[in-house]
Amino acid sequence: MFRKILTSTALAAAVTLSVAPAAYAGKANDTLVWSTTREVAVADPYYNNTRELVIIGNTVWDGLLFRDLKSGEFVPLLATSYKWADNTTIDFELRDDVVFHDGSKFGPEDVVYTVNFVSNADNGVLTQANVKFLESAEQTGPNSVRIKLKEPFPAALAYFAQAIFMMPEGHYDSAPDGADGKKDYGAVKPVGTGPYMIQNVVAGDRIEMVRNEKYFKGGPKGQAGIGNLTFRTIKEMNTQIAELLTGGLDWIWDVPKDQAEKLGGMDNVTVTNAKTMRVSYIAFDVDGDSGDKAFTNKKVREAVAHAINRKSIVENLVGPASVVIDSACHPDQFGCTQDVKKWDYDPEKAKALLKEAGFGDGITTDIYAYRQREFTEAVIGDLANVGIKANLKFMQYRALRDLVWKGTTPLHHMTWGSNSIPDVSAITSHFFGGGRDDPAKDPKVIEALKVADTSVDPEVRKAKYKEALGIISSELYWLPMFTYAKYYAYTSDVDFTPTPDEIPRFYTAKWK
Amino acid sequence: MLIYALKRLSIALLVAITVSLLTFSMIYLSGDPAIALAGESATQQDIENIRKVYGYDRPIIVQYAAWLGNALQGNLGHSHYLKTEVSNVIFDRLPVTMTLGACALSFALALSIPLGVLAAMRPNTLVDRFALTLAVIGQALPSFWFALIMIFLFGVSLRWLPITGSASWLNFVMPSIALGYYVTPAVMRLTRAGMIEVLSSDYIRTARAKGLRPGVVLFKHALRNAIIPVVSLAAVQFGFMLGGSIVIETIFAINGLGQLAWESILRADLPMMQAIVLVLSCFYIVLTFVADLLNAFLDPRIRVS
Amino acid sequence: MDDAVNKTEQDQVVIADRTIDEPSPAERAKKRMLGHKGFMFGAIVLGVILAIAFLAPLISPHDPLDQQLARKLIPPIWHDHPKVTWAHPLGTDQFGRDYLSRLIHGSQISLLIGFAAMLISGVIGTAIGVAAGYFGGRVDMVVNFIITTRLSLPVVLVALAVVSLIGNSLWIVIAVLGLLIWDRFAVVMRSTTQQVRNLDYVAAAQAIGCSTPRIIFTEIMPNIVNNLIVVATVEMAHAIILEAALSFLGLGVQPPAPSWGLMIAEGKNHMLFDPWLVGIPGTALFILILSINLLGDGIRDITAPENRN
């Protein structure tokens, strides 16, 4: 009996050991291994909405357009040119020298297929925010397509650049049937046109990519500089750092500031701090739904705004690429202005405001958060210094979002990454356009945003966004906090430049 | 015997169903799976769409009944998040966790049984004190701390052992020790207590009196009896290890069942979570059953009764 | 199913494991207590930690919540570092809060977690264990079913799921742990009660018509209390270690409360470069659990002769 158990265990061990390939990282093997803490099981940018798939999406696939980070302009990628026919129609001319990883040629039928497939709600695309504005596509010539939008949507170009990736025609036809009778679209073998192709997916553990040697010449992305690219999931930051120091990993990010600074002092590691599109904000229960009426009083909201030392949090905890923001958007987004009411750090004034509001003895409340607990903890410390005792409720994003919608959170400290879309419509319109995420439902704000979102005149958009952002900040529906900055740490062997949109371009990396 | 086995099986099934109902309602009531599926930047409308397409708009009880019906037919369902059959993923991950658990248990037994025997043979001596100290310290050291210390010592400073991955048996050394040492004290104490009791029993005295060699007495007669409760304990601990290896799997980036369970909780992957809890509870039930058989094998008295 | 429970019972045998003490009279218990090094060590250390917890507001040099980011990460005094100061003998954490004060206040919370979770699980486990052992039959069957169900639930997983979903205040963590770890109480109390129930004086009490609650409280309970205390110490240590594991995964007690588990969780990201941030609360936790375990072992050794197993 014992022997049997031992044999079967040995067998199990042998099986496990033999299927797992060794992880070789580094210049010697021409393999760049990068890691994040998130598990990735589905390698399809439409059926997985993690940041990792945004990165892999831009690495393995191409969109019709490309965002030139230097100029901020959208330049053609799979297209050769584009033109707005009217405010809901865009015409694209396409390249004719592009082939998919499986060898088939890229053409207008692929664009028509992809757009019509992903815009069909029945197909259950998970990244709904990226595709819901699409109406349909049709071929208009041997190398041209016309894409119709559901309604005027000036920000559409950004989505064509980094969210709507082209799949070959009929790509999802081979999807297996799921147990529930529905098609399992995410299980299709990934095929794209991008600088890398996916070679192997070990669900939840790693994704191995190799350079696409046939990538088309003369595009803005260009041929990849490193032969192999492997993504690995390692959940524990200490383990990631240990692997980076011993050569098991080449590239990590989201390193906390103190560790990043100390890692920077080591010989073989390069550390940089780069901007992201993510912003941090505190939202107040303006209408008192949570039962905690304190924040219906604007003086209390002002007290909170004066109590929090955002500058100190940015300097001590976030990183040099982070900035304090005063309006409910990211400064890099189109239409975002910082020309709004500002609330300075002034704890004495905060105490006085609390007294005026009738809370001279202090307030006890709950603050909800889901990400970077240390930032929220610093907020709690600042609030405690003026007499507001905020107990932290730290939970999963989905649980918290549910509570926010039910209106049961007096204060919540959350973040928004806008899917890296450089347009105010991806954040302010979402939170103050009157939907469930809107804490105030101020009709003036809703109206201004509606005009701004659908106008094709950039000046009108800017003016209307400014109006809305001005009200939000002066009424303190939100206290905008700061922009996120990410610490990247990578081996000094690699020549890599972080980008300000949280989409690392691994295809531009080279060995030194 | 057959009736006994059937009775146990039906109770086991009932336990498994109760456990699955508990997990299902717990996870479901605490947050909307559609929000998890739709991701961080989804709007209300996006989430509504996803809820409808993936069937989360049906009443909870209907969803549970549908799941149970399929599960009873051997269909564990489909993970909307991983886009694949739940059973495929589980069969992928189970061997990893089982290997880890088996290595950890082997380590624990290899350390604790000899120590326990030695301590029992020489009670209240230095050996006994050493074993006791080890046991007490083992119980008080949080496993994650121990694991991280090992990583920094053997992985980064000395570079003796690889930190993550599963490329060779060396990868399993640190995780197995980190997972296994926590079991060591209990097994050691049990072995020691059992041996002391057996060694002072009449039949061992008789065996000694008959002039049998001490080694034969010790291993053939004494240990064989003292080990019976240890087998049961080891079986139960193995079950617990499979369920409790989350922390160790997280630290050493081992892609096993523990990590899968943790991730599935986070993303409200109900079918996956359900299946894991079901598998783990079945494991527990099977293990205790196997332990019984082993005991019967080791102790003829049980076999007869 | 009976056997499933019996297996775990054997797991519990650990508790009843006794050294080869020769039987000796009860009045010598005190002497043995003083002569038992483990017991004395455990009792004294636990006493000191308890005293620190009760006197925390008086003896802690700073407010444990006073955050000043400008003075963050000052190392403890034994480090050779320009920032080291006697104003913060154990240094400051990543928010510039005095580490010694947090450690002192944290003792309250760690003890509270251990004690309260032990109390909840003790009440549940003892109630159903004694009921099963005393009444037997159907009651025993149902209780066995509940215990088996509980044992086949992976504790860490369930605790994680609940806490990660409904949030994790101090009381939620205590309640979750308390509701999950009662199995050992139930199993041990069940078997001990079974043994005591069949003793002559219980039969005598039943014969003279004593009420059931009276029999349970006056005849049964006093005879199982030794085992109860031993299990209680084990479970208290268990709860504290579980909270630390939850904290490691970011799901233990939440700020601003300074629990040792939370201190470890917050310090763990600094483990490579500032290991003392984890080392100090980790050592404190280690000593606390060690002393509770030694105390439990001691009580078991000392009371073993009077045990009825």
Side-chain angles (χ1 to χ4, degrees), chain A residues 1-2 5-6 9 12-18 20-23 37-42 47-50 121-129 132 177-180 182-187 202-206 232-236 238-239 241-243 245-247 268 278 370-371 396-399 401-402 405 415-419 430 435-437, chain B residues 27-28 30-33 35-55 70 75 77-85 92-93 95-96 98-99 102-103 106 148 151-152 155-156 159 162-169 172 227 231 250-253 255 259-260 262-269 290 293-294 297-298:
Chain A
M1 196 66 121
F2 272 131
I5 291 175
L6 282 178
T9 308
V15 168
T16 328
L17 300 183
S18 59
T37 52
R38 195 140 37 185
E39 230 180 56
V40 174
V42 175
Y47 290 96
N48 182 320
N49 47 33
T50 57
D122 292 342
N123 290 331
V125 167
L126 291 182
T127 48
Q128 280 290 320
K132 64 179 173 202
D177 282 320
D180 50 0
K182 295 200 179 75
K183 286 280 188 187
D184 210 351
Y185 295 120
V202 184
D205 182 50
R206 62 179 61 228
R232 282 191 66 193
T233 301
I234 297 180
K235 297 226 176 86
E236 174 56 40
N238 281 307
T239 313
I241 293 176
E243 284 285 19
L245 290 176
T246 53
N268 52 349
R278 185 169 297 279
Y370 76 103
R371 191 181 173 117
Q396 286 307 310
Y397 181 74
R398 72 187 161 98
R401 190 116 195 247
D402 221 16
W405 283 358
T415 75
W416 190 254
S418 302
N419 286 319
H430 175 86
R436 260 165 121 178
D437 276 310
Chain B
I27 294 179
Y28 205 95
S30 55
D32 190 337
I35 301 182
L37 206 54
E40 269 190 32
S41 297
T43 62
Q44 186 188 342
Q45 189 54 44
D46 308 338
I47 291 166
E48 292 300 331
N49 285 346
I50 282 166
R51 183 175 297 131
K52 215 174 272 157
V53 172
Y54 291 96
N70 285 330
N75 176 1
H78 185 85
S79 163
H80 292 314
Y81 194 91
L82 297 179
K83 299 284 167 203
T84 178
E85 298 301 305
D92 249 22
R93 306 285 184 97
V96 180
M98 275 179 64
T99 309
C103 292
S106 314
L148 287 173
I151 287 189
F152 290 132
V156 179
R159 308 224 174 174
I163 300 163
T164 64
S166 45
S168 85
W169 64 273
F172 281 86
I227 204 109
V231 170
T250 304
I251 292 177
F252 292 99
N255 203 20
Q259 273 217 49
L260 181 68
W262 176 216
E263 286 287 315
S264 304
I265 294 171
L266 297 191
R267 57 198 175 208
D269 193 342
V290 170
L293 294 183
L294 269 178
F297 173 75
L298 288 168

Side-chain angles (χ1 to χ4, degrees), chain A residues 329-350:
Chain A
C329 50
H330 191 285
D332 289 354
Q333 288 176 313
F334 175 88
C336 190
T337 172
Q338 298 301 311
D339 184 13
V340 293
K341 170 89 182 155
K342 292 181 171 54
W343 304 94
D344 300 327
Y345 173 59
D346 188 346
E348 291 313 313
K349 198 167 175 188

Side-chain angles (χ1 to χ4, degrees), chain B residues 214-245:
Chain B
V216 175
V217 176
L218 191 64
F219 290 104
K220 195 155 177 233
H221 297 273
L223 188 57
R224 192 177 168 135
N225 281 293
I227 204 109
I228 291 171
V230 175
V231 170
S232 304
L233 175 65
V236 171
Q237 291 291 355
F238 186 65
F240 286 156
M241 267 195 241
L242 294 187
S245 60

